[in-house]
Amino acid sequence: AGTVRFHPAWVEFCRDWDVTPKACGPYRARTKGKTESGVKYVKRNALAGRGFDSFGAMERHLEEWMAEADARVHGTTHERPLDRFEREEKAALRPLPSRPLPRRQQRLKRKVANDALVDVDTVRYSVPHRLVRESVEVQVGEQQVRIFHAGKLVATHARGKEPHARVVDEAHWEGLWRPRTVEPVEGSSKLAVHGRSLEDYAAVVEHAGKRGAA
C-alpha cells in the first residue's frame, strides 16, 4: 500500500478545525459513494435549470431548498433527515473553535490568457497585457489578490466575491489600442481635422500681416 500525502494547505485547515483527514481507498467507490450521491442530488434537484442574479440570491434559494429537503422522507432511511439529525447526529457535533482561526493564503500558479486575465475560482483578474501567455503566481488572501511575475508584484486587486466576475485595472490594458484618428470629410481641408477651418487660419495670417505693417 502506498503512503497517503495530503496537501499542506489541507493539513493546515484540518488542524485549525481540529479534524482528522481520512483518505478513501483507490478504486473503492463504496467508501465515498454516499457523499457523491448527496452532491449529485443537490446539483440535479436544487440547481439544475435555474439561474441566479447573484451569489447571494443562490444562497437564499439553497436555504429555502434545504428546509424543504430536510422535511422530506429519505428513500434509504425512510425518515425525515431533520428527525434523524435531531435524534442521532446533533449530539455528536462539537462547538466551533473559540479561538480566532488564522488566516490562510492560497498560492496558485496560473498562465495569463490572451485577454490579459487570470482565473481564480471562476473570478478573472487583470494583469499588464505584456504578460499574456506568461506564468504568474497568484496569492489569494481573504480580502485581496496579489499577482507576481518572476518574483515581482505586477497586480493587486480586491478579491472578487461574485462567481464569473471580472476584476480589471484599466491601466493594465494601456497601449493596446492606437489613438483614434479622424479622417477628413471629402471636399474639406486637412486642416479642418485639427478643429479649425481655412478661414480661421486666413484670419490669423491677415492679423499678423497688419501688425507687421504697423
Side-chain angles (χ1 to χ4, degrees):
T3 301
V4 176
R5 298 179 60 186
F6 293 108
H7 192 283
W10 172 242
V11 174
E12 290 179 351
F13 175 85
C14 292
R15 185 185 304 120
D16 291 342
W17 291 92
D18 194 22
V19 297
T20 302
K22 293 184 178 180
C24 295
Y27 307 106
R28 294 184 62 189
R30 292 184 62 184
T31 61
K32 57 179 180 178
K34 290 293 183 182
T35 301
E36 292 185 350
S37 294
V39 173
K40 181 173 62 178
Y41 176 62
V42 173
K43 286 183 176 180
R44 293 180 177 179
N45 191 282
L47 299 175
R50 293 178 172 86
F52 305 96
D53 295 331
S54 66
F55 189 72
M58 184 183 71
E59 287 185 317
R60 290 190 293 272
H61 163 73
L62 288 176
E63 287 179 359
E64 296 175 358
W65 177 86
M66 284 190 296
E68 295 178 2
D70 285 342
R72 298 171 184 167
V73 175
H74 194 276
T76 301
T77 63
H78 305 294
E79 60 181 328
R80 300 192 310 167
L82 183 60
D83 297 334
R84 188 180 184 90
F85 171 77
E86 292 289 344
R87 186 183 69 251
E88 299 182 10
E89 299 173 356
K90 186 176 181 179
L93 295 177
R94 294 178 297 173
L96 295 175
S98 58
R99 66 187 186 283
L101 294 176
R103 294 182 179 179
R104 303 298 183 187
Q105 189 175 71
Q106 287 180 289
R107 293 176 180 267
L108 309 171
K109 296 293 185 181
R110 290 291 186 268
K111 187 173 183 179
V112 181
N114 290 337
D115 53 6
L117 299 172
V118 295
D119 188 290
V120 179
D121 296 332
T122 76
V123 180
R124 310 191 73 206
Y125 300 89
S126 69
V127 299
H129 65 83
R130 60 183 173 80
L131 298 178
V132 165
R133 298 186 180 180
E134 293 286 333
S135 294
V136 295
E137 179 184 280
V138 184
Q139 294 184 3
V140 184
E142 186 174 345
Q143 301 295 334
Q144 191 179 68
V145 172
R146 301 196 302 165
I147 304 173
F148 294 81
H149 177 256
K152 182 180 179 181
L153 180 65
V154 294
T156 301
H157 297 284
R159 185 173 179 181
K161 303 298 183 182
E162 289 290 335
H164 309 293
R166 295 201 316 171
V167 182
V168 174
D169 182 346
E170 297 290 345
H172 291 160
W173 292 344
E174 288 182 359
L176 278 178
W177 296 277
R178 296 177 180 177
R180 183 180 179 183
T181 57
V182 180
E183 295 295 332
V185 179
E186 185 177 354
S188 65
S189 168
K190 292 184 178 180
L191 293 175
V193 174
H194 299 283
R196 296 180 182 274
S197 65
L198 281 175
E199 288 76 9
D200 293 330
Y201 288 98
V204 172
V205 172
E206 182 180 357
H207 179 69
K210 290 180 179 179
R211 291 185 60 184

